[in-house]
Amino acid sequence: LSVYSESDAVLDASTWELDGRWWFWRRPAGRTEYAVGAGAGWIHQAFDWEARDGTQWYPADPGVPADTWEGAGITYELDSDIPYLQLAGRAKGGRFSVEGRVAYAPSVTMNDRDDHLDRDILAKTDAEGDAWLAEISSEYAFEGGWFARVGIQWMTCSVAGPSENLVYGPGENGRNTPGERWTIYEEITSSQSFFSVAVGRRF
């Protein structure tokens, strides 16, 4: 472990998804219909967060004093594109239905921009990898087209790629050399869990 830090954070995030499925197999069993489908989709995520009021230690270099800062110390921007293939299943009986899916994304891209404001170092990473997604949801249909739905989704991504670093100023301590550049190989692992509750109406 070379760097360890703790801070407060402010986060802005958005997720967009396009999803298409074809239910190629259907079979009724009593009052319940079972179906299996396949499809494809695309997820785009944009995360923008700011680390504030923190402390950073350097376990690999015990002689280096810890850095502390007040206000914004680091800003992060992360954009991800996740095209996937999926296999889905559904059981529907009366007003109640349960649906689940498993998806694999073989070609994930992530673009990461980290600006260490107190150190005057900008890092940009272009990484590629893959991801797995699993989701299950249940829905109840009311009169008049209204419905209620609850769902749980889990996703894990693993990507890697070069990180280009640039020193653009002397830093808070004045020890930096502006214009210095270096490249490191960065690995990013992300696990996300979502719980959703929705009420809607079909027309």
Side-chain angles (χ1 to χ4, degrees), residues 10-183:
V10 179
L11 170 67
D12 291 322
S14 63
T15 298
W16 299 87
E17 181 174 5
L18 296 175
D19 179 14
R21 300 178 198 175
W22 172 49
W23 298 101
F24 60 84
W25 182 88
R26 300 172 185 263
R27 175 167 295 181
R31 298 182 61 185
T32 303
E33 181 190 69
Y34 297 93
V36 177
W42 170 72
I43 297 174
H44 177 76
Q45 294 185 329
F47 297 144
D48 185 352
W49 69 97
E50 182 179 275
R52 306 178 59 89
D53 304 329
T55 302
Q56 184 164 283
W57 296 271
Y58 307 93
D61 297 301
V64 176
D67 292 323
T68 60
W69 70 89
E70 295 182 358
I74 306 173
T75 61
Y76 298 91
E77 297 175 9
L78 178 64
D79 290 296
S80 304
D81 286 296
I82 308 170
Y84 60 82
L85 301 172
Q86 63 177 334
L87 183 66
R90 182 178 67 192
K92 184 177 181 180
R95 296 181 178 273
F96 184 75
S97 64
V98 177
E99 189 172 309
R101 63 171 174 161
V102 176
Y104 176 64
S107 181
V108 175
T109 59
M110 287 188 179
N111 300 311
D112 179 39
R113 183 184 188 277
D114 302 345
D115 192 348
H116 298 254
L117 302 175
D118 61 321
R119 300 167 60 197
D120 291 343
I121 297 176
L122 178 63
K124 295 182 179 180
T125 303
D126 295 322
E128 297 179 351
D130 61 358
W132 285 93
L133 181 148
E135 182 179 14
I136 187 169
S137 62
S138 62
E139 181 179 307
Y140 186 83
F142 298 95
E143 296 288 346
W146 290 94
F147 67 90
R149 180 189 298 131
V150 296
I152 298 174
Q153 184 185 100
W154 171 83
M155 182 171 64
T156 180
C157 300
S158 180
V159 298
S163 176
E164 305 289 340
N165 294 256
L166 168 66
V167 177
Y168 59 84
E172 190 177 74
N173 54 25
R175 296 197 300 260
N176 288 353
T177 303
E180 184 180 358
R181 296 174 179 267
W182 66 89
T183 301

